[in-house]
Amino acid sequence: NAGVTQTPKFQVLKTGQSMTLQCAQDMNHNSMYWYRQDPGMGLRLIYYSASEGTTDKGEVPNGYNVSRLNKREFSLRLESAAPSQTSVYFCASSEAAREGNIQYFGAGTRLSVL
Amino acid sequence: AQKITQTQPGMFVQEKEAVTLDCTYDTSDPSYGLFWYKQPSSGEMIFLIYQGSYDQQNATEGRYSLNFQKARKSANLVISASQLGDSAMYFCAMREGRGYSTLTFGKGTMLLVSP
């Protein structure tokens, strides 16, 4: 029972490089989310997708793009990485129809931009 | 104004004792949910417990309970009989409204359990 799977687990980029973080969930959830976690800041929402075919900006969307490829997959793209994007990135999914609309998280991707 | 406030950067507790982690929230929406997540040193975010704003009773999940005081806008996490494995970062979060609305997280409290 995998839940939410993120790849890669670790990545080092040079400033200006691009990359895509992948996220897949096997819980048949409608909603998916991308967060970043910085020291002392808690988690902040980058983008979310309420359902397949929709995406919306969160609190800190600048410098990122997302794609909801299908119901299972939600990717986060950094087009031109900057040192300020060094962070731990978490993907989550939830089902609004269920009690609490609880979000379940992947293991995270640690990204360093040099 | 911060929507979720966790005033304790760090807490220490001895094994087998109970500990309370504080969380206060700010919302004008009558429908909301409050959540606690645990983040051990390995880094994953683990869901612990949920309380809906209309729930009459405090939520409980095993050794975890949520002390929900609506008038005071507080949602404190109580861990009974602490274990060494409870040492972790704990985050309080809030969902405002119904449906797919997103979570706002507090900055977390680091809990250290000593033998």
Side-chain angles (χ1 to χ4, degrees):
Chain A
N1 193 4
V4 179
T5 302
Q6 291 183 235
T7 55
K9 287 185 169 45
F10 302 93
Q11 184 71 47
V12 178
L13 293 178
K14 294 181 180 179
T15 297
Q17 287 185 317
S18 63
M19 79 160 294
T20 299
L21 281 66
Q22 306 286 354
C23 176
Q25 52 93 6
D26 64 2
M27 295 178 282
N28 202 34
H29 287 168
N30 278 318
S31 303
M32 297 185 74
Y33 313 81
W34 277 105
Y35 293 88
R36 61 178 287 172
Q37 183 180 27
D38 302 298
M41 297 292 290
L43 275 74
R44 293 183 293 168
L45 183 67
I46 304 171
Y47 271 94
Y48 67 102
S49 171
S51 60
E52 188 178 354
T54 69
T55 60
D56 284 286
K57 295 178 180 180
E59 182 185 355
V60 289
N62 290 346
Y64 305 95
N65 285 302
V66 290
S67 295
R68 183 74 183 266
L69 304 170
N70 48 54
K71 189 172 185 178
R72 291 186 64 248
E73 298 172 289
F74 187 39
S75 62
L76 178 72
R77 183 160 178 84
L78 287 69
E79 290 290 352
S80 179
S84 61
Q85 294 177 305
T86 293
S87 189
V88 181
Y89 292 85
F90 286 98
C91 177
S93 71
S94 72
E95 179 52 56
R98 296 183 191 167
E99 173 69 19
N101 191 14
I102 296 164
Q103 292 186 22
Y104 295 94
F105 286 79
T109 295
R110 291 185 178 274
L111 176 66
S112 292
V113 183
L114 306 178
Chain B
Q2 285 189 348
K3 291 201 171 188
I4 294 287
T5 303
Q6 295 181 253
T7 57
Q8 307 153 314
M11 290 284 286
F12 295 89
V13 67
Q14 280 202 310
E15 206 175 2
K16 300 179 185 176
E17 290 185 349
V19 62
T20 298
L21 306 184
D22 294 341
C23 174
T24 57
Y25 60 93
D26 183 26
T27 181
S28 57
D29 196 319
S31 177
Y32 55 90
L34 296 156
F35 305 77
W36 279 92
Y37 286 85
K38 172 184 179 181
Q39 187 176 41
S41 57
S42 52
E44 69 269 33
M45 293 287 290
I46 302 167
F47 165 73
L48 293 178
I49 196 166
Y50 161 77
Q51 177 89 39
S53 60
Y54 296 116
D55 294 342
Q56 296 295 316
Q57 292 191 322
N58 288 343
T60 60
E61 290 285 351
R63 293 185 299 111
Y64 304 108
S65 60
L66 200 153
N67 184 1
F68 181 45
Q69 298 187 41
K70 201 167 183 176
R72 297 181 60 188
K73 292 190 174 181
S74 74
N76 299 338
L77 177 70
V78 181
I79 306 175
S80 64
S82 298
Q83 301 173 355
L84 295 178
D86 294 333
S87 292
M89 196 75 169
Y90 289 81
F91 291 94
C92 180
M94 177 173 65
R95 168 187 49 76
E96 294 176 276
R98 294 186 180 274
Y100 59 83
S101 55
T102 58
L103 291 179
T104 302
F105 283 82
K107 295 184 177 182
T109 296
M110 175 64 76
L111 175 67
L112 291 178
V113 181
S114 60

